[in-house]
Amino acid sequence: MGRVALVGAGPGDPELLTLRGLRLVRAADVVVTDALVDRRVLAEVRPAVAVHDVGKRAGAPFSQAAINELLIDLARGHELVVRLKGGDPFLFGRGGEELEALLAAGVAVEVVPGVPSATAAADLVGVPLTHRGVADGFCVITGHRHGDASLDYDWRALVASGLTLVVLMGAASRATIAKELMGAGAPGETPVAVVTRASWIDEEVRWTSLAALGSVPVASPSTIIIGGVVDPRRRWRPSLPLGGLRIVVTRPRAVADALAVRLRDLGAVVVASPAIEIGPPSDGGAALAAALSHIEDYDWLVLTSQNAVDRVVGGIGDLRRLGGVRIAAIGPATARALERVHLTADLIPGTWVGEGLVEVFGPGPGSVLIARARQARDVVPRGLEAKGWRVDVVEAYETRTAAASVPPELVESADLVVFTAPSTVEGFATQYPGLVPRAAAAIGPVTEEALVRRGWPVALTATHYDADGLVEVIREAREAGRLVPRSEAP
């Protein structure tokens, strides 16, 4: 018999997971998830691990008894079952019921607290649930009771308490809640914030009043915050350089983190949506292995990406074999990948594209080995051959379109989609046929050309063709008012 971990997944953003929760998600042998768990959290699950979606959706309910039985069955066949629940497992998450069922069946259980959606939604929009002189505490209630029972709270006691009122699952009953509170003496002008899908890329916040709450369009899941602490002047996201921007990053998941982290640190809401994935060479690595078997015979080794560095270094073995071979790297990211394995590039062009390398490369004769992706431009080999070099081109890896991991409606809601290679443009177009990004950012002119060929709006092109250059140009555009979040558009 294995064990089950009831893990609070927080409001959505995987960076709001606890360290313990993240460690368990990555170690899970099987995962059972709710509908309110963000796909970015599920992306942390190992690829071969099965994910059971038992979300309770309108028209397709998954009974609690069935969920309990599923957890018990999975624990019999797996060492670690992770039950992911949005927010905190015990705050309107029925985690208590699952805990009781598992313990009764003799299953070992661990409960990992999560950041509750009630507090997270308030924090993210700048609403302090308690504030000196305004509210000495808060109360969290549900707007949807078991079996559709009536909301027979002591409304007068709630109003008289002076506490901030937080309503979860109250989108459908908001008009009733407002009517009951006003009938119990709450002023109609009491401020209200409605936060929908807090911390997700399509998060929305509406600032209204208790009297108007019933007529404000509200979608689920939403957190309704009622009380004098609600004040839009405390919004903190606009104070950050990229605050309010929703950005989709299309790089392969293995290399997207550094770019995504920098954008998040500047205040953007970022979703990794890999348009391509990196795989082994189509020939199984035969051509690369054959070339590396006599690497000492080449005068130059040209590497065009971090992925090429990884594949080549892994195939060489004793790096002392490169003692008489000079190395050229297109761009600082490739050069840094070489440094990580204690190699130094002899040549890095000032312009980080193939044309830049050809321009600074000296004349032949001699021999050059170029290790690159299967699909790549022929600018470098043709340019070096024209300079008198004998050039061998081998496939170090293959890029292919990844399966779409983000729903198209979330991609459409983004303010900016970032593309880091022509292959990411083509992969995105394959994943989302007919979908045109609201605005696109290109890592350099070659990627920009791929976007232009498709007729997509190119808002930004980096002048330094790496992650730092992309962040810089996005930040400059935001500061200059040329990149405006959809939430702030007129």
Side-chain angles (χ1 to χ4, degrees), residues 42 172 228 231 336 360:
L42 296 176
D231 187 341
R336 287 193 292 269
V360 299

Side-chain angles (χ1 to χ4, degrees), residues 141-145 151 153 155 165-183 188 190 192-196 206 208-226:
I141 66 172
T142 178
H144 179 76
R145 283 190 159 175
L151 300 177
Y153 295 110
W155 298 104
L165 184 61
V166 182
V167 184
L168 301 181
M169 297 177 286
S173 58
R174 63 191 185 279
T176 298
I177 291 169
K179 178 182 177 181
E180 294 287 356
L181 288 172
M182 288 188 292
T190 302
V192 177
V194 181
V195 187
T196 303
R206 297 182 184 276
T208 185
S209 67
L210 195 57
L213 177 60
S215 59
V216 171
V218 175
S220 295
S222 288
T223 301
I224 302 172
I225 309 166
I226 304 168

